[in-house]
Amino acid sequence: MNRRLIAIFFQLLVAFALHAQGGNVRPPFLSKGDNVAIIAPSYAVNDTVTVRKAKKLLESWGLVVQLGENARELHPEYIPKKGDKRYGYHYGGSLNSRVRELKWALADDSIKAIFCVRGGYGTVQMTDLIPVSMYSDHPKWIVGFSDVTTLLAGENMAGVMGIHGDMCSTFNTTTGNTKSTTELRKLLFGQLPDYQVGASRWNVQGHAEGTLVGGNFITFVSLLETDYDITKLDGTILFIEEVTESMHAIERLFYLLKSHGRLPHFKGIIFGSFHKCGVELLDYENVEHMLNEFVKPLGIPVCFGFPAGHGPVNMPLILGGSVTLDVTSSGSHISFQ
């Protein structure tokens, strides 16, 4: 038996063992020469430069990049012309082609990771067409954030880890020298992240251990009561980030979680960036004040200000991974096992 077959055999043994223990499967870390895919499951970009730059960046990491059918070219029938009010908000392709592209990337065992072109909207349309079992049949890293939260939730519900992190639209250099992209590369090649976050007046002190789930708030709350609903899971630490939502819309999402009986499931909460949110303030000083008022009575540790989401820095997180959260007067420590 050659070395590659032996490696695959042991990976399967580990996967079976983790399932037997109720844990999540960690896809294999990447090695130089591995095949990865770029797909467009949500909105598309208006140019061909973004995908080319992302491909060049991943190739500089030693990876072999395969482009999905919607990532290979722009589709004129889905792209409003410049000046149209819908310009910049169009799907990467038809629903059928986006489903077909995702199924290809998931099912091809030669592909070790899937990078998404961008977020926006569209993945919720696929939840009835992509069973969660597809994510566990061929465990591999899915990388992205924003609307890609849906796919990461599918992985987590299938017992597979995914990465909330930069994607093609945020790979803004071809050398990968931004802080978040550099940390993403390290993680993909096997270096687990360990974060220290400065103190916030809104933090709630405490210690928690659990499985990290979450992502873009409005995206995962829209998955309530579906097969992709990660809030059903017990013993989790919840990560939340949001962009351009009003304060009352964010509050409404929390009330939805509360009315569905989900809040007792969480052992801790990590708040990422709330970029351009909460402009109407309501009766609160800011968004953090409103969130603090909502979560403080839960009696669980809460970290504010983690640098991930739609803000200028988007540090990678392992969703579905075992995480420890320590919040003290001096700040927060987030570590993965």
Side-chain angles (χ1 to χ4, degrees):
M1 186 180 295
N2 64 38
R3 290 183 180 179
R4 186 168 183 81
L5 288 176
I6 292 173
I8 293 172
F9 175 72
F10 278 105
Q11 286 171 12
L12 290 172
L13 283 180
V14 171
F16 283 125
L18 283 169
H19 277 304
Q21 297 167 12
N24 284 346
V25 173
R26 175 184 59 76
F29 290 122
L30 299 184
S31 300
K32 289 187 177 181
D34 279 347
N35 289 320
V36 298
I38 292 178
I39 66 171
S42 307
Y43 282 166
V45 291
N46 294 313
D47 59 74
T48 58
V49 175
T50 298
V51 173
R52 287 205 308 268
K53 289 181 71 174
K55 182 174 182 289
K56 186 175 181 180
L57 171 62
L58 297 176
E59 288 173 343
S60 75
W61 296 355
L63 301 172
V64 178
V65 180
Q66 299 184 41
L67 299 181
E69 61 176 296
N70 293 319
R72 283 196 298 268
E73 58 182 333
L74 298 176
H75 294 265
E77 65 268 32
Y78 300 108
I79 302 179
K81 293 181 179 180
K82 197 165 187 177
D84 188 308
K85 65 180 180 180
R86 295 176 298 126
Y87 184 73
Y89 301 94
H90 52 275
Y91 299 123
S94 67
L95 176 58
N96 286 340
S97 69
R98 285 182 285 125
V99 168
R100 186 167 59 244
E101 183 182 54
L102 177 57
K103 285 183 174 180
W104 157 73
L106 287 172
D108 189 334
D109 285 326
S110 72
I111 293 173
K112 304 304 180 185
I114 300 171
F115 295 84
C116 298
V117 169
R118 63 162 294 184
Y121 179 75
T123 55
V124 70
Q125 302 165 340
M126 306 163 73
T127 54
D128 289 339
L129 303 172
I130 305 287
V132 294
S133 60
M134 282 204 70
Y135 299 97
S136 55
D137 288 343
H138 310 269
K140 61 192 66 180
W141 297 110
I142 295 178
V143 184
F145 70 106
S146 190
D147 190 54
V148 180
T149 293
T150 301
L151 307 187
L152 297 171
E155 281 209 296
N156 292 170
M157 292 305 291
V160 180
M161 301 179 193
I163 297 178
H164 181 281
D166 280 347
M167 48 192 170
C168 297
S169 59
T170 49
F171 288 154
N172 60 0
T173 72
T174 57
T175 56
N177 59 5
T178 61
K179 186 174 182 180
S180 49
T181 303
T182 298
E183 292 304 312
L184 173 61
R185 176 181 56 78
K186 291 178 180 178
L187 169 55
L188 283 165
F189 283 85
Q191 184 174 322
L192 294 180
D194 190 277
Y195 297 119
Q196 295 283 350
V197 183
S200 167
R201 62 181 286 204
W202 309 112
N203 279 356
V204 181
Q205 296 181 33
H207 169 86
E209 299 178 15
T211 301
L212 187 65
V213 298
N216 180 251
F217 202 12
I218 198 169
T219 301
F220 72 74
V221 173
S222 71
L223 303 173
L224 282 171
E225 303 300 342
T226 72
D227 290 341
Y228 283 62
D229 181 7
I230 48 91
T231 68
K232 291 178 182 177
L233 301 173
D234 205 0
T236 55
I237 293 176
L238 184 65
F239 166 69
I240 302 174
E241 68 86 24
E242 194 48 84
V243 59
T244 63
E245 290 294 336
S246 66
M247 193 176 291
H248 67 263
I250 295 170
E251 187 181 56
R252 181 184 296 122
L253 296 175
F254 264 106
Y255 274 108
L256 277 171
L257 292 180
K258 182 178 180 180
S259 64
H260 281 77
R262 298 297 200 262
L263 296 182
H265 292 187
F266 309 130
K267 300 174 72 174
I269 297 176
I270 300 170
F271 286 116
S273 65
F274 283 75
H275 193 56
K276 299 180 180 179
C277 289
V279 293
E280 80 284 33
L281 295 186
L282 297 181
D283 295 326
Y284 304 102
E285 182 180 335
N286 50 36
V287 174
E288 288 75 15
H289 182 196
M290 185 266 291
L291 294 172
N292 174 272
E293 290 287 312
F294 207 103
V295 301
K296 191 173 183 178
L298 299 177
I300 59 176
V302 180
C303 165
F304 279 86
F306 184 82
H310 287 76
V313 181
N314 186 27
M315 302 301 283
L317 292 165
I318 306 173
L319 298 186
S322 296
V323 68
T324 298
L325 170 64
D326 285 293
V327 184
T328 67
S329 59
S330 60
S332 302
H333 180 212
I334 298 163
S335 60
F336 291 88
Q337 293 78 48

